Amino acid sequence: MAEKQSGNLQNYVKQLATEALEKEQPSAWFEILYAQAEGDVTQIPWAKLTPHPYLQTWLNNHQPFMKGQKALIIGCGLGDDAEALAKLGFDVTAFDISPTAISWCQRRFPDSSVNYVVADLFALPLEWHLAFDFVFECRNIQALPLNVRSAVISAVTSLVKPGGKLLLITRIRDTEAEPSGPPWSLSDSELQHLESFGLQQVEKIVFSDHPQEMDIKQVRIEYQRQNSQR
Ligand SMILES: C[S@@+](CC[C@H](N)C(=O)[O-])C[C@H]1O[C@@H](n2cnc3c(N)ncnc32)[C@H](O)[C@@H]1O
């Protein structure tokens, strides 16, 4: 099994992911990483203890929201995105496959109105089907390999109710060739796949964490499911 070397978190993550893929359990390594972190946020590469800035700007530009609208946060990590939505009056459910991540959220936000739950994107509760006004998917599709991409996209899109919205934030790649992940950035055809599940693109912006180098391109895409579609 992979051993943690200090100062080399990126390699360690890659090793954990590779071992999980060899066992055909692509989500298995996340719990190991969260549990081994023992509450040290520096050991979780994606955790910034703040809402994603491109979620926050989208929320700032789309207020006011109707109180009580149902929001779902996929792969919620340490909970900051979920808390940002709860502050605006959404009725928020946030889930992650990692029990340690979910109890970490509950410890960080003991008075939160967010319903934090352990759940698996590959085995979603039936009552979540087409159930949410707003679904936030940030950097989870890219964290799972291409052989499950179609299943992941199908699961993500199945959560959005007619008339509801999906906000997606992900890395993208320029070719259809398989990248060496994690992360496994999304190709154009994979993005188009979301629309084949009844979602229409409303707005797309391309950005980079390092604006000077546009080498690692990311997108924020807002989708909406038409009212008539089921
Ligand atoms: C790269 S992290 C991104 C976390 C957060 N969305 C963010 O952007 O900071 C991927 C998250 O997805 C969760 N995850 C992985 N596979 C999952 C699955 N099958 N079902 C639910 N969550 C999953 C992991 O535990 C992890 O918290």
Side-chain angles (χ1 to χ4, degrees), residues 157-214:
T157 56
S158 75
L159 297 160
V160 184
K161 83 182 204 189
K165 286 181 185 289
L166 166 70
L167 195 68
L168 167 72
I169 292 179
T170 184
R171 288 190 186 194
I172 50 169
R173 66 185 200 272
D174 290 330
T175 73
E176 291 297 328
E178 179 157 1
S180 147
W184 293 270
S185 308
L186 276 75
S187 70
D188 278 348
S189 74
E190 290 162 17
L191 284 175
Q192 277 162 17
H193 198 36
L194 275 100
E195 300 188 41
S196 71
F197 289 99
L199 298 184
Q200 280 187 342
Q201 198 172 295
V202 177
E203 183 197 60
K204 174 177 176 179
I205 59 166
V206 182
F207 65 95
S208 167
D209 282 343
H210 310 281
Q212 352 23 5
E213 310 157 18
M214 273 296 272

Side-chain angles (χ1 to χ4, degrees), residues 14 16-30 121-122 139-153 173 177-187 190 193:
K14 197 144 193 152
L16 280 182
T18 305
E19 288 179 6
L21 292 199
E22 280 164 8
K23 294 182 191 142
E24 296 183 14
Q25 296 175 339
S27 293
W29 61 274
F30 294 96
L121 192 53
F122 297 111
R139 305 186 292 188
N140 306 307
I141 303 178
Q142 70 180 41
L144 294 163
L146 295 199
N147 65 344
V148 293
R149 182 126 305 170
S150 188
V152 174
I153 290 175
R173 66 185 200 272
E178 179 157 1
S180 147
W184 293 270
S185 308
L186 276 75
S187 70
E190 290 162 17
H193 198 36

Side-chain angles (χ1 to χ4, degrees), residues 16-190:
L16 280 182
T18 305
E19 288 179 6
L21 292 199
E22 280 164 8
K23 294 182 191 142
E24 296 183 14
Q25 296 175 339
S27 293
W29 61 274
F30 294 96
E31 171 58 18
I32 299 172
L33 188 74
Y34 282 115
Q36 288 185 344
E38 294 180 333
D40 177 359
V41 76
T42 65
Q43 299 306 303
I44 308 297
W46 46 85
K48 300 286 180 273
L49 302 188
T50 181
H52 193 288
Y54 281 79
L55 167 66
Q56 196 62 66
T57 50
W58 190 89
L59 291 171
N60 294 346
N61 294 332
H62 286 75
Q63 287 188 53
F65 296 95
M66 277 198 297
K67 202 167 162 38
Q69 279 196 321
K70 286 178 69 181
L72 182 73
I73 314 299
I74 297 173
C76 63
L78 298 189
D80 298 274
D81 298 326
E83 294 298 320
L85 283 154
K87 273 194 199 127
L88 293 174
F90 281 95
D91 170 7
V92 183
T93 299
F95 76 98
D96 202 286
I97 199 162
S98 160
T100 301
I102 291 302
S103 49
W104 199 332
C105 293
Q106 288 162 336
R107 265 202 321 281
R108 284 187 69 208
F109 305 108
D111 302 320
S112 175
S113 63
V114 175
N115 177 28
Y116 286 108
V117 288
V118 177
D120 182 356
L121 192 53
F122 297 111
L124 291 168
L126 284 181
E127 64 272 22
W128 288 3
H129 186 66
L130 299 176
F132 293 91
D133 300 288
F134 182 81
V135 175
F136 185 53
E137 158 46 44
C138 184
R139 305 186 292 188
N140 306 307
I141 303 178
Q142 70 180 41
L144 294 163
L146 295 199
N147 65 344
V148 293
R149 182 126 305 170
S150 188
V152 174
I153 290 175
S154 167
V156 166
T157 56
S158 75
L159 297 160
V160 184
K161 83 182 204 189
K165 286 181 185 289
L166 166 70
L167 195 68
L168 167 72
I169 292 179
T170 184
R171 288 190 186 194
I172 50 169
R173 66 185 200 272
D174 290 330
T175 73
E176 291 297 328
E178 179 157 1
S180 147
W184 293 270
S185 308
L186 276 75
S187 70
D188 278 348
S189 74
E190 290 162 17

Side-chain angles (χ1 to χ4, degrees), residues 4-18:
K4 199 167 182 179
Q5 309 281 326
S6 63
N8 214 345
L9 186 57
Q10 219 177 348
N11 284 349
Y12 180 60
V13 161
K14 197 144 193 152
Q15 245 179 296
L16 280 182
T18 305

